[in-house]
Amino acid sequence: MRRKLVAGNWKMHGTLAENTALLASVVAGAQGLNCDLAVCVPFPYLAQAQLALSGTPVHLGAQNLSEHAKGAYTGEVSASMLKDFACAFVIIGHSERRSLYGETDAMVAAKFVAAQAAGLTPILCVGESLQERESGVTEAVVARQLDAVIAVAGIAAFARAVVAYEPVWAIGTGLTATPAQAQAVHAFIRARLAQHDAIVAAGVVIQYGGSMKPSNAAELLSQPDIDGGLIGGAALVADDFLAICRAA
Ligand code: 13P
């Protein structure tokens, strides 16, 4: 039985003062919830979040990492550095990284491997743009993104990974995939993994991300292949984030 995972992706938001309040509220509201919880914070706030979350049920995550283990890579952050701050998760291949920072499928696969090599659980983001959806290539795009990682990391690696389906057109736009639209792609992702290993596919947590909020979370999360959420804007408001966690 898959356990639902709700993760906040704070993106490039927060201050020390704002984070103190948000983390305290999330921790206070996390007690007794029947799902896994994580917050993925900006790098400079890892130490702050580590301290605030230590000994609580809320896991810590980061939003990106280098594919390299160490070396002359100015401005980059390695997987082992994230482990140093007790990160459990790291988001890999978010559409903003792919589209704004030129991350290719090959780079995403290398980052996925680097994360796992350090004992982090990658949250691998996949999803189509509006133009791709409208031209009917959603499944082809998602398959290509998945296959690139399977080819490099192997299917067994997905026993230690999370997949997040994030239709690009639903991110930060207020447009949400309908539960049926999302479920169809989630089922496709699971089936694609099952072509390689049915047991791994049945166990992998597949989150939905894209304008998930308290008002639509319960219906999305009740779909058979939707195992949680990767939450952007609503994760910055403790009450909203916790409402989504309760729906899970
Ligand atoms: P929003 O929830 O703000 O649409 O962002 C989703 C997202 O990109 C999470 O990674």
Side-chain angles (χ1 to χ4, degrees):
M1 187 62 191
R2 298 184 299 270
R3 192 171 153 86
K4 288 197 166 43
L5 169 64
V6 179
N9 173 9
W10 287 8
K11 308 194 181 183
M12 198 172 73
H13 293 287
T15 64
L16 284 172
E18 287 169 4
N19 303 345
T20 298
L22 180 53
L23 289 164
S25 300
V26 169
V27 166
Q31 310 300 327
L33 284 177
N34 191 22
C35 67
D36 290 325
L37 249 76
V39 290
C40 299
V41 309
F43 293 140
Y45 299 127
L46 285 172
Q48 179 192 24
Q50 179 190 17
L51 200 64
L53 301 180
S54 164
T56 80
V58 184
H59 297 287
L60 180 58
Q63 301 171 14
N64 183 28
L65 85 176
S66 170
E67 62 270 49
H68 303 292
K70 63 176 170 179
Y73 301 103
T74 301
E76 292 291 283
V77 172
S78 72
S80 63
M81 293 172 186
L82 300 181
K83 278 302 275 188
D84 255 353
F85 289 91
C87 282
F89 295 100
V90 59
I91 298 170
I92 308 270
H94 191 280
S95 64
E96 288 150 17
R97 304 276 342 151
R98 293 179 190 262
S99 68
L100 302 174
Y101 299 98
E103 288 194 10
T104 62
D105 288 335
M107 287 164 69
V108 169
K111 289 182 178 206
F112 182 102
V113 169
Q116 287 196 331
L120 296 163
T121 300
I123 299 177
L124 171 66
C125 297
V126 298
E128 81 289 0
S129 67
L130 183 59
Q131 194 215 329
E132 287 164 340
R133 173 160 285 264
E134 286 175 346
S135 43
V137 295
T138 295
E139 291 189 352
V141 168
V142 170
R144 189 203 75 224
Q145 292 170 334
L146 283 175
D147 292 353
V149 177
I150 296 169
V152 173
I155 188 66
F158 281 80
R160 294 173 288 122
V162 171
V163 177
Y165 169 57
E166 297 208 316
V168 178
W169 47 273
I171 294 175
T173 57
L175 292 174
T176 315
T178 65
Q181 278 175 326
Q183 165 56 27
V185 181
H186 281 237
F188 172 79
I189 291 169
R190 203 176 301 287
R192 190 84 185 179
L193 297 174
Q195 287 174 5
H196 300 268
D197 188 320
I199 294 171
V200 168
V204 69
V205 165
I206 308 177
Q207 297 176 308
Y208 169 81
S211 299
M212 196 189 265
K213 47 194 176 231
S215 59
N216 60 26
E219 207 186 345
L220 285 161
L221 291 165
S222 68
Q223 301 298 309
D225 289 293
I226 300 185
D227 308 318
L230 186 55
I231 320 300
L236 299 173
V237 180
D239 285 349
D240 288 352
F241 185 63
L242 290 166
I244 296 169
C245 294
R246 284 192 295 273

